[in-house]
Amino acid sequence: MKKILLFLALFVSLNFFAQEFQGTAVYESKTSTAELMKNFGGNREITPEMQKNIEERMKKMFEKTFILNFNKSASIYKEEEKLDAPGTNNNGRMMMSMMGGGGTQYKNVKEKMYAVDKEFFSKEFLIKDSLPKYQWQMVSETKKIGEYTCFKATAVVATDPTDFRNFRMRGPRNEENKEKEQKQKDSVNGTKKTNFMNDDIEQIKEKTITAWYCPEIPINQGPDKYWGLPGLILEVNDGTTVLLCSKIVLNSKEKVEIKAPTKGKEVTQKEYDEIVKKKMEEMREMYGGQRGGGTGGRRGF
């Protein structure tokens, strides 16, 4: 009887520990501004000094700190709260939305779902959808990140169509391709456009990402939307942006409540993407019309 009670007590304590287990990981985000400018073909009319100035401004805009709080089954991920720098305004928050960021991102790997609250054009949205499935290719290559030994994994992922970092200038086109594209444009009503960029810019549909995960922290969580490896992901590199863990705290006395956001109009990821693309296309038409002598117009969601 005593053995049974001891077993039950041990089971309960282990179960309690599993429920209480919690950690915090801090990630630093860095984006290659040179790579971004290369994607958009650069600008031959600006001087090297002007280009350097632009890259420095972009660098400051992209260098951010994010906090991931996690337990065995769920996590919340958001930008570290800081006092707004002088000159920060709605345009900065708008740019964050156009980079696919903003808000609090909640991932529940047990329920295979995520939720993220975002503000776009002063309207709050609550995106709820299934977690993306990554076909991870794990290899034996390792490296140290801080004191942790991490293993390498790669995956080909679909890019975010609302993040301008996933766009680039179209490559050279021959006359035959130009003629085909013109016929396609002529045969499609202009109101049916789905790309909020102009005709010389295209979306990079897929990217190969490299992740480094740590089996010593056996949870399948990671920064941003990434998850699904047998260990906490400490670094992600998509070729343009790197998210690198700079600090980990496990089982701190100060517990953080990990729960899904609830504010905003509930939409799926696809619905939100369509809302953003539609709004960007309206802005392009409005400002394009003003440059061409038109008046344009503004419509709601």
Side-chain angles (χ1 to χ4, degrees), residues 127-159:
I127 305 167
K128 296 183 74 173
D129 219 318
S130 301
L131 282 171
K133 295 180 181 178
Y134 300 115
Q135 301 299 319
W136 292 109
Q137 302 295 318
M138 294 180 283
V139 297
S140 58
E141 185 178 346
T142 65
K143 76 171 182 177
K144 282 277 192 179
I145 297 180
E147 62 185 63
Y148 295 98
T149 299
C150 296
F151 288 79
K152 182 180 179 180
T154 61
V156 177
V157 303
T159 62

Side-chain angles (χ1 to χ4, degrees), residues 153-188:
T154 61
V156 177
V157 303
T159 62
D160 182 351
T162 66
D163 188 339
F164 82 93
R165 288 173 295 183
N166 295 324
F167 288 80
R168 66 186 174 194
M169 296 293 293
R170 291 184 186 275
R173 291 167 288 174
N174 58 38
E175 291 303 319
E176 183 180 351
N177 287 337
K178 288 180 182 179
E179 186 177 345
K180 286 181 180 179
E181 289 177 7
Q182 188 59 49
K183 287 181 179 179
Q184 289 175 346
K185 292 175 189 176
D186 294 340
S187 64
V188 177

Side-chain angles (χ1 to χ4, degrees), residues 4 13 19 33 35 61 117 132 160 181 190 199 239 254 280 292 294:
I4 294 174
S13 64
Q19 290 177 343
T33 55
E35 189 68 25
M61 181 173 65
D117 55 354
D160 182 351
E181 289 177 7
D199 296 329
E254 296 182 8
M280 291 298 97

Side-chain angles (χ1 to χ4, degrees), residues 71-85:
N71 56 31
K72 285 286 186 179
S73 60
S75 68
I76 51 174
Y77 177 80
K78 62 181 179 179
E79 185 181 347
E80 182 181 48
E81 294 182 1
K82 296 179 180 178
L83 291 175
D84 286 344

Side-chain angles (χ1 to χ4, degrees), residues 93-98 117-125 162 272-280 283 301:
R93 286 186 284 273
M94 175 66 68
M95 183 60 71
M96 190 62 186
S97 294
M98 290 177 65
D117 55 354
K118 288 192 177 186
E119 182 180 328
F120 185 66
F121 271 87
S122 301
K123 188 174 180 65
E124 292 184 347
F125 292 93
T162 66
Y272 178 77
D273 292 347
E274 289 300 320
I275 289 169
V276 173
K277 287 192 285 187
K278 181 181 178 182
K279 199 66 179 179
M280 291 298 97
M283 288 183 64
F301 290 101

Side-chain angles (χ1 to χ4, degrees), residues 3 16-17 30 49 52 77 86 89 104 107 115 118 126 137 143 154 167 176 183 191 200 206 212 222 265 279 290 294:
K3 289 183 178 180
F16 176 78
F17 175 79
K30 292 187 178 181
E49 185 178 350
K52 184 179 179 181
Y77 177 80
N89 51 29
T104 299
K107 295 196 300 287
K118 288 192 177 186
L126 178 62
Q137 302 295 318
K143 76 171 182 177
T154 61
F167 288 80
E176 183 180 351
K183 287 181 179 179
T191 60
D200 293 324
E206 292 181 335
W212 295 89
K265 177 184 178 182
K279 199 66 179 179
Q290 288 176 347

